[in-house]
Amino acid sequence: MVHETIAVISDCDDTLCPDTTNKLVQDLGIDSSDFWRNQVAPKVDDGWDPPLAYLTKLLEVANALSEQGLTKSFIRASAAGVRFFPGALDFVRRIRELLSENAEYREAGISVEWYIVSSGIEELLRSTPLADEADGIFACTFDYSDDGSAVGIKRVVTFTEKTKFVYAINKGISEEVLRRLPYRVNDAMEYEDRRVPFENMVYLGDGPSDIPCFSMIRHLRGKAIGVIPPDDRELRKPYELAEGDRLTVGPYTADYRDGTDLFKMTARIVTGIADDILERRAQRIRPSPTH
């Protein structure tokens, strides 16, 4: 069996746009430096998982600021102000267009899907234009009361938890099914039955929370592309990404416009996967000798 689907999987915050959670904190009127350094960091030092620490503290601070606390309407209003890095919103659409120009790719039914796997807040990400562009968004979620106030934490996407969603994509488990039946991701499944093999995956990310996915996907013959937020003047994240030979290529500055190094390399990798699919398809249908 030849698998014709290619999955582009990316982080969001500092990969596609500046940190959306940090923007939400600032929109609440909270000093973001104080929030991360003096409120979240001590919880992490005390053994809390970083995403769980920031989500818990965010609820505490928001509840102290107003009776309603953090609401869906406020999160959506914050999302309306998110500005993406150049070309980030439509770079996968443009790669699809490039592939559609190739008659062999069209005949083989090769398609490209885009998934967001993030430790950010899902309600916020789904309230941006990403909801119309991506085929799936997996991120942290709150539990909401009937009036739309966040009253608890429903799901946390930790660093290694990101790999769970990559496996869900690999096995063809939809967002809806995964939410209702989270243990489905552990189902035994033969390679031939998996919807998107790892060698058909490209993962883009910017920092430590992406390293488990980088390492796993590369080990399983997929591709890992490092991205640098444009304002990372200390070059701390590029150093962390480059350590340990975790990347296939990069890191590149987060500029996804045509002609940039990041877009050209991503498009080249995706077309390379498409060529590999054609080769596997040709081997499958190649006639056997008759004498």
Side-chain angles (χ1 to χ4, degrees):
M1 177 179 179
V2 178
H3 303 82
E4 292 86 8
T5 303
I6 300 169
V8 175
I9 307 169
S10 70
D11 179 40
C12 182
D13 294 342
D14 289 332
T15 296
L16 303 175
C17 60
D19 194 298
T20 57
T21 304
N22 198 54
K23 181 182 183 302
L24 178 64
V25 168
Q26 293 171 344
D27 288 347
L28 284 165
I30 302 168
D31 183 319
S32 60
S33 295
D34 176 75
F35 177 78
W36 296 108
R37 183 181 298 114
N38 299 322
Q39 300 187 59
V40 176
K43 295 182 82 66
V44 175
D45 292 341
D46 191 41
W48 286 63
D49 195 77
L52 185 58
Y54 94 72
L55 291 166
T56 300
K57 205 64 194 179
L58 186 59
L59 285 183
E60 290 177 5
V61 173
N63 287 333
L65 288 173
S66 72
E67 186 176 338
Q68 277 193 303
L70 186 62
T71 64
K72 279 187 178 182
S73 60
F74 191 92
I75 292 172
R76 291 168 181 168
S78 180
V82 171
R83 296 293 175 263
F84 286 82
F85 295 139
L89 277 174
D90 68 350
F91 83 100
V92 175
R93 193 194 320 157
R94 284 181 279 121
I95 289 174
R96 289 179 183 133
E97 290 169 358
L98 283 175
L99 264 62
S100 71
E101 295 171 2
N102 185 304
E104 288 186 283
Y105 298 159
R106 293 197 307 271
E107 180 185 340
I110 296 171
S111 62
V112 181
E113 295 177 349
W114 184 20
Y115 296 92
I116 310 299
V117 180
S118 170
S119 293
I121 298 170
E122 188 170 305
E123 183 72 32
L124 201 164
L125 303 187
R126 288 188 180 280
S127 300
T128 72
L130 281 176
D132 295 325
E133 295 287 346
D135 294 281
I137 298 175
F138 304 98
C140 303
T141 57
F142 291 116
D143 186 30
Y144 296 94
S145 64
D146 291 340
D147 67 359
S149 297
V151 294
I153 299 166
K154 181 179 286 188
R155 182 172 66 241
V156 175
V157 180
T158 64
F159 303 164
T160 53
E161 183 84 354
K162 285 187 172 186
T163 62
K164 177 182 83 172
F165 299 108
V166 173
Y167 270 104
I169 295 164
N170 167 245
K171 295 181 177 181
I173 302 170
S174 69
E175 294 176 66
E176 180 184 356
V177 170
L178 193 62
R179 288 191 179 91
R180 290 188 294 106
L181 303 167
Y183 293 107
R184 280 287 306 279
V185 76
N186 295 327
D187 287 356
M189 185 178 291
E190 295 295 330
Y191 170 83
E192 290 297 317
D193 296 327
R194 298 189 180 205
R195 185 170 179 272
V196 186
F198 289 102
E199 61 262 34
N200 286 16
M201 291 184 178
V202 184
Y203 188 96
L204 295 92
D206 71 282
S209 70
D210 301 302
I211 286 172
C213 287
F214 282 147
S215 299
M216 181 185 77
I217 288 175
R218 276 204 70 195
H219 177 71
L220 295 168
R221 297 187 296 156
K223 307 298 182 184
I225 302 176
V227 177
I228 310 170
D231 60 353
D232 187 4
R233 296 180 179 86
E234 297 178 1
L235 298 180
R236 175 179 54 81
K237 285 189 174 182
Y239 175 78
E240 292 174 342
L241 290 180
E243 274 191 310
D245 194 31
R246 298 178 176 108
L247 300 176
T248 305
V249 291
Y252 300 106
T253 300
D255 186 338
Y256 296 80
R257 290 174 291 188
D258 291 352
T260 63
D261 290 341
L262 177 56
F263 180 77
K264 288 190 294 184
M265 182 54 70
T266 305
R268 187 175 302 161
I269 286 173
V270 172
T271 54
I273 294 171
D275 288 337
D276 289 342
I277 292 171
L278 289 181
E279 177 61 25
R280 291 195 293 270
R281 187 170 182 263
Q283 290 174 357
R284 183 187 65 178
I285 64 176
R286 186 174 294 147
S288 59
T290 57
H291 61 277

